[in-house]
Amino acid sequence: MDSLFIKGPCRLSGEVTISSSKNAALPILAGVLLCKNKVSFDTLPGLRDINTINSLLSEMGVKISKEGNLTHYEAPDNVTTEASYELVKKMRASILVLGPLLSRFKKAKVSLPGGCAIGTRPIDIHLQGLEQMGAQIKVEKGYVEAETSGLVGAKVSLPFPSVGATENLVMAAVFAKGETTIENAAKEPEIVDLCDFLSASFSQLEISGAGTDKIVINGITGENISHTYTVIPDRIEAATFLIAGLITRSNIKVLNCNPTHIESVTKPLEEMGAKLVIGENFIEVQGEESNLVSTDIETAPYPAFPTDVQAQFLSLLTSINEKSVVTESIFENRFMHVPELNRMGADIKLQGRTAIIKGGKPLTGAPVMCTDLRASAALVLAGLTASGETRVQRVYHIDRGYESIDKKFQGLGANIERVNEPME
Ligand code: EPZ
């Protein structure tokens, strides 16, 4: 089991290149199940979650092959329609195979994803929408078993703009008969990327409203065309590195990002006094020149402040000599980085879904434990600014969503080493 050893405080410099988006690639790869003919990708990120969904897809019979920097996928007619507990338990996004399996194969048996560290994460919104489209669904013995004589387009209004439910329903609508309307749909850039991938795969497919709260899909029949798709850059990784530049008061340049995807992060950062130079596909952080004052944030669905950047932002707030309040409105248990930050000398109090930060006291290095992906990133950021050695344990959490995070920070001049440690 790997740990990261960080010797802080670190000053960073230079450039870092952002990888493709985990949260765009995962639904798109689930959508490969709709594609009988080969589809290829040129920039899939090297992440544990990508390996996990590839294992799941190949276990189901999807043909996956590599050719240089291309990865080819093909889902023949004899794909099995069952996703086992062994693989689904490793990554709850596996539930995204439900919509495409039902749409193309008219049946699916997928293990319930179960909760995770940050919350119970039910899938009731997914299932209600699929039932409205003509699926018969039963949930028993830890599995979702669904079948249909053929999905039919429906007008589905989501009680909450669930990202995963929107993605499952968009994919279910592809071969559904007639028009599907998803109201109160999630508006994340990853939804737009999924719709762009599906439109590129099925020339007759008409999808309108991607990125808005109303998506309309006219179902089709027929096979996909072969093409090569480029997944969008990871906006959460980009935001993480912006914050790394600020928390270490360094000047760094974040390359291969789409600044329009993270305006809900760059705007509060600029209001706090962060000096940013925003280009078309890069953002320069001038941390040395930034005199930061704190701000309060509340997470909410896109385009509001993203819950996936809350932990990293909270680490930054501990480095500012003021009081601030962070409210997490999406997940019920997404403050597991707080006790670990307090062990590094931070002064953060929790009241339900609110964290009150009294910043300014310099952090000191300590052994800390990863619990979930973004909390772990927050601990790395804290380690970069803390004085002394921080040992970040259970780095596999980070490797789920950050490609070679140690190498990327080494490239920026950080004193960070990955060490393989025996299981405790
Ligand atoms: C996606 O999760 C992301 N994961 C999450 O990123 C992200 O935090 C989340 O969207 C919110 O932006 C992927 O894209 C793979 P939701 P998802 O359905 O689809 C409740 C990361 O760190 N809900 O929008 O699971 C749910 O409990 C991960 O990269 C229901 O109640 O998010 C939660 O409170 C973490 N019923 C809220 O909605 C449902 O049927 C948001 O969930 C579905 C969701």
Side-chain angles (χ1 to χ4, degrees):
M1 195 178 289
D2 289 357
S3 297
L4 294 177
F5 284 82
I6 306 167
K7 287 192 177 57
C10 301
R11 290 307 286 266
L12 307 179
S13 63
E15 299 177 341
V16 62
T17 300
I18 299 304
S19 301
S20 295
S21 164
K22 167 178 86 80
N23 291 350
L26 291 174
I28 286 173
L29 291 179
V32 154
L33 288 163
L34 296 163
C35 300
K36 176 173 184 167
N37 303 315
K38 182 172 75 171
V39 285
S40 309
F41 300 91
D42 56 6
T43 58
L44 289 178
L47 303 172
R48 288 186 68 233
D49 275 9
I50 299 299
N51 298 339
T52 301
I53 198 163
N54 281 342
S55 306
L56 174 63
L57 291 172
S58 47
E59 186 189 79
M60 295 169 74
V62 173
K63 291 181 194 142
I64 305 175
S65 59
K66 284 192 179 297
E67 190 187 358
N69 75 328
L70 290 179
T71 312
H72 307 299
Y73 294 79
E74 206 172 311
D77 287 334
N78 63 354
V79 158
T80 58
T81 57
E82 181 162 338
S84 69
Y85 172 68
E86 283 61 41
L87 280 163
V88 174
K89 74 181 177 188
K90 285 166 75 175
M91 183 186 65
R92 59 180 320 285
S94 308
I95 196 64
L96 294 172
V97 304
L98 192 54
L101 286 176
L102 269 176
S103 197
R104 178 178 170 197
F105 301 102
K106 301 183 174 54
K107 63 188 170 88
K109 183 178 178 185
V110 182
S111 168
L112 273 172
C116 73
I118 63 177
T120 52
R121 305 188 72 181
I123 57 167
D124 53 316
I125 302 173
H126 301 237
L127 302 186
Q128 284 157 14
L130 291 169
E131 283 173 335
Q132 278 185 255
M133 295 175 71
Q136 289 80 45
I137 296 177
K138 62 179 179 183
V139 178
E140 58 184 31
K141 298 187 188 115
Y143 275 83
V144 175
E145 292 197 55
E147 59 181 3
T148 175
S149 54
L151 292 180
V152 178
K155 178 173 280 196
V156 182
S157 180
L158 304 187
F160 177 86
S162 155
V163 172
T166 303
E167 291 163 345
N168 245 331
L169 295 173
V170 162
M171 293 188 281
V174 170
F175 293 133
K177 193 168 174 351
E179 181 176 279
T180 297
T181 302
I182 305 169
E183 292 183 335
N184 197 25
K187 300 184 271 192
E188 275 73 359
E190 292 77 29
I191 307 281
V192 177
D193 210 28
L194 172 64
C195 293
D196 288 347
F197 166 72
L198 294 172
S199 302
S201 301
F202 298 97
S203 49
Q204 335 81 312
L205 186 63
E206 285 168 28
I207 302 180
S208 61
T212 74
D213 61 2
K214 182 176 176 183
I215 303 176
V216 181
I217 307 109
N218 278 293
I220 51 143
T221 56
E223 297 177 6
N224 68 293
I225 52 178
S226 290
H227 66 102
T228 295
Y229 194 73
T230 301
V231 173
I232 56 171
D234 194 312
R235 63 190 169 101
I236 307 303
E237 185 190 20
T240 304
F241 278 97
L242 290 185
I243 292 171
L246 291 168
I247 201 170
T248 57
R249 305 304 189 264
S250 308
N251 291 358
I252 63 170
K253 195 169 184 179
V254 178
L255 304 176
N256 187 41
C257 67
N258 183 331
T260 61
H261 291 167
I262 42 174
E263 282 173 354
S264 58
V265 177
T266 53
K267 281 197 176 10
L269 287 177
E270 288 177 315
E271 284 158 14
M272 291 167 66
K275 296 273 183 285
L276 305 177
V277 176
I278 297 180
E280 196 183 320
N281 60 0
F282 71 85
I283 299 178
E284 213 167 317
V285 194
Q286 296 172 337
E288 286 174 9
E289 293 80 35
S290 299
N291 298 314
L292 297 176
V293 295
S294 72
T295 185
D296 296 344
I297 55 158
E298 177 163 357
T299 66
Y302 194 89
F305 192 92
T307 175
D308 291 350
V309 181
Q310 176 261 106
Q312 304 91 309
F313 202 91
L314 198 152
S315 285
L316 175 64
L317 292 172
T318 66
S319 74
I320 299 167
N321 189 12
E322 287 182 356
K323 188 168 167 249
S324 52
V325 176
V326 171
T327 305
E328 171 55 59
S329 72
I330 302 286
F331 291 108
E332 61 266 34
N333 185 33
R334 202 167 199 179
F335 283 129
M336 281 168 296
H337 40 295
V338 167
E340 297 301 286
L341 291 172
N342 284 341
R343 293 181 55 248
M344 297 175 74
D347 179 353
I348 308 165
K349 291 197 176 33
L350 290 179
Q351 286 169 5
R353 291 202 178 195
T354 300
I356 296 130
I357 301 105
K358 270 174 70 181
K361 211 172 111 214
L363 301 183
T364 51
V368 291
M369 190 71 77
C370 292
T371 49
D372 66 275
L373 168 54
R374 306 303 174 183
S376 314
L379 298 180
V380 171
L381 296 177
L384 291 172
T385 186
S387 53
E389 180 177 90
T390 298
R391 174 182 167 222
V392 182
Q393 302 168 72
R394 298 187 184 171
V395 172
Y396 62 86
H397 286 288
I398 301 182
D399 294 334
R400 289 191 51 191
Y402 290 89
E403 186 170 19
S404 312
I405 195 166
D406 46 323
K407 290 193 176 62
K408 290 195 177 185
F409 275 121
Q410 284 164 0
L412 290 171
N415 186 336
I416 179 171
E417 292 300 327
R418 179 185 289 257
V419 175
N420 183 276
E421 294 194 294
M423 293 273 279
E424 281 172 0

